[in-house]
Each structure stands twice: as structure tokens, then as C-alpha cells.
Amino acid sequence: MKKIAVLTSGGDAPGMNAAIRAVVRKAHYHKIDVVGVYYGYEGLYNGKFEPLDLGSVGGIIQRGGTMLYSARFPEFKEEEIQNKAIENLRNQGIDGLVVIGGDGSYRGAMALTEKGFPCVGIPGTIDNDIPGTEYTIGFDTALNTAVEAIDKIRDTATSHENTFIVEVMGRNAGDIALWTGLAAGAETVLIPEEEFEIEDIVARLERSAARGKRHSIIIVAEGVMPGHKLGKILEERTGVQIRVSVLGHMQRGGAPSARDRVLAGRLGAKAVELLLEGKGGRAVGIHNHAVVDYDLKEAYENKHKADVSLYTLSKELSI
Ligand code: F6P
């Protein structure tokens, strides 16, 4: 292998830049050239390639977003588009590709691998929802961003004795909501993986009110229902005014945490090693603190499971 390419795809995540840097530096360490593909799979199809030398990834380890930009490109499912992408890669003398993204991005990487072009996937998404790895790049930063925001909301909720609903990201996965809830001491956490009853939330609010507690924070993952909708339901049911804050895309931005930078460095280097060993169709991840690799298909054919013990714990601690 003489030349590899790297792209970022899907929703961006803090730490993607640190992962790009790790891929470029590790490859150059082994005297392999690297090409950056801009705009994810769309750029792969349109031939948006630029060489990445050592200097091109200087000063990005601490930057949020992705210097390679990202795009959602559902058309990449089409075979003709995949063939064109491979043709573009081969024309540049590239013989391996690192894809940094979520499970949708992994499907594209597997399709190319099955067509004879080796790809390795690095988990980059704030949602922490890729089966086979305990952590994804960006999750820790997003979690800290959400916790910081909720700490601030709690200050004003306490001063004014308000009940707040805070909607966090996570269309299919409750990890951000769950971890944020535990870290910020939220009274209630709602995640897509666990059913809930409105009456339980009402009972909790009433129990706290009876104890003299006049403020409350309810965290809802966007995949459960929009925070404003939940707010309306609870207002109608309790007669209490509910404030709603939607944290939104702020959770995807900002400088990556130290943990995300280190994770990105470890996983980026491993991805290059796998390509050098001629191993395509692999995903890299973390299991029991160690870097692991596994079949890319495992990442998208299995369903991510939130840690139910954390859900139970959050209920116990916010009794
Ligand atoms: O996958 C990351 C994520 O931030 C999800 O949590 C969220 O549902 C989604 O992306 C939002 O994507 P978009 O910005 O494309 O609407």
C-alpha cells in the first residue's frame, strides 16, 4: 500500500479533526501518502481530493468540526455511484480508505470493500451509538457541552423554582440523555430505548413538590419526542408552567475534550495499521480500555443498546 485516503461523513463530531490528523501522521510515519476527500461520500463521487501532507494537519487537534467537511449523501447506496467512487480512487493511485463517521457511513465503506476496495471505519458521532465500541469520538465532548448547559439551566431553575425540560440530541440513541442526566443530576431522563408513562413523570413531579422541592430538570432525548410537545403534555396534566430548552447543534460543536482527542489518536492510528496489514472491511473501537477491530457489518447489522443499568441508576439517584 502506497497511498490511502480519508474522509468524514454524516453528522460531524468533535474529535474528527484529531482523527484525521492521526491517520495522516501515522501513515506518513510509515511512508504512506494520504489524500483527503472533501464532503464525505459526495466528494468521493465528485472527485474532491487533495493531498494531505504532515503540515496540512498541523494545529487542528483542538478544533471542533471537520477540516474535510461532511455531507449526508444517501445516493451512495446506488451501485453506479459506488463504482464511480472506486474509479476515482484508483485513478489517484489510492489503495485504501479510512471512513470516519457513524453507522450509515460504515455501510458505504462495506459496499466499497465488497467491491474489492479496502476500507476501515472509525466511529465518529456524538451519539455513541455504534455497536462494537464502547465509545465513539465526539460523545465525551457533547456530553460535557450538554452538562455545562444544564448546570446553567439548573441555576436559574432553582432561583425561579421552575420545571425545565431539556431536549438533547439522539435520534435513535439515549446515551447523551442518559449520561447527561446522571452527570447533571436530572430528576427524570427519557431515552428512546426505554418506554415511559407520563403518569410516572407526573408522580415524580408531585412527589418532589410534596417534599418542598420546587424545581426540576427533565432530560428528553430528541428521539423520544420533541421537548416542546412533552412540555405541553405535562403542562396540561399538572397545571404547572414548564420551560423548554432545546440544546440542538451546539452539542456537535466545540473543541474536543482530552478524552476524545486521545480516543481519536488511538483509533486513527489503528485504522492505518489495519490497512497496512491489508485488512479491509474492519471497524475500530474501544473495548475494556483496549483498541479493538471487528467486522464493519457488526456495527450496522446489530442494534445499539443503551446501558440499562445506567437508566436504573439515574432513577434510583433522583428518587
Ligand atoms: O448523528 C448525530 C446527530 O447529531 C444526531 O444526534 C441528530 O439526530 C442528527 O445528527 C441531526 O442531524 P442533522 O444536523 O443532519 O439534522
Side-chain angles (χ1 to χ4, degrees), residues 30-209:
H30 289 287
K31 311 229 173 320
I32 308 286
D33 288 336
V34 186
V35 169
V37 181
Y38 287 74
Y39 305 104
Y41 286 109
E42 199 177 328
L44 203 54
Y45 173 64
N46 293 322
K48 296 240 159 54
F49 298 165
E50 293 279 345
L52 295 176
D53 58 22
L54 284 176
S56 62
V57 291
I60 63 165
I61 196 168
Q62 79 288 6
R63 276 182 22 213
T66 159
M67 66 167 278
L68 293 176
Y69 300 90
S70 190
R72 300 202 191 264
F73 188 54
E75 295 84 345
F76 203 73
K77 283 200 252 347
E78 293 163 31
E79 216 171 323
E80 271 171 47
I81 291 191
Q82 293 168 3
N83 291 341
K84 175 80 177 126
I86 293 181
E87 193 187 312
N88 289 344
L89 286 160
R90 296 245 191 256
N91 285 344
Q92 297 278 326
I94 299 166
D95 14 53
L97 173 68
V98 176
V99 171
I100 307 169
D103 52 354
S105 317
Y106 280 13
R107 283 175 198 272
M110 196 62 202
L112 298 186
T113 305
E114 280 170 350
K115 284 177 171 292
F117 195 90
C119 299
V120 172
I122 299 181
T125 165
I126 62 165
D127 290 349
N128 206 40
D129 63 346
I130 301 192
T133 184
E134 282 152 11
Y135 296 103
T136 60
I137 297 166
F139 171 62
D140 185 63
T141 309
L143 171 63
N144 280 290
T145 301
V147 169
E148 204 184 316
I150 291 164
D151 287 348
K152 289 177 180 165
I153 289 170
R154 184 179 284 286
D155 287 345
T156 177
T158 311
S159 308
H160 291 269
E161 303 192 323
N162 282 329
T163 296
F164 263 89
I165 291 174
V166 183
E167 181 193 308
V168 297
M169 273 189 165
R171 211 166 7 210
N172 307 308
D175 287 46
I176 296 179
L178 203 48
W179 286 66
T180 300
L182 274 168
E187 279 69 24
T188 301
V189 180
L190 304 177
I191 58 172
E193 295 90 340
E194 291 289 322
E195 306 230 318
F196 71 97
E197 298 288 337
I198 288 289
E199 288 316 310
D200 284 347
I201 311 175
V202 173
R204 272 173 174 270
L205 289 173
E206 285 171 354
R207 263 204 315 271
S208 341

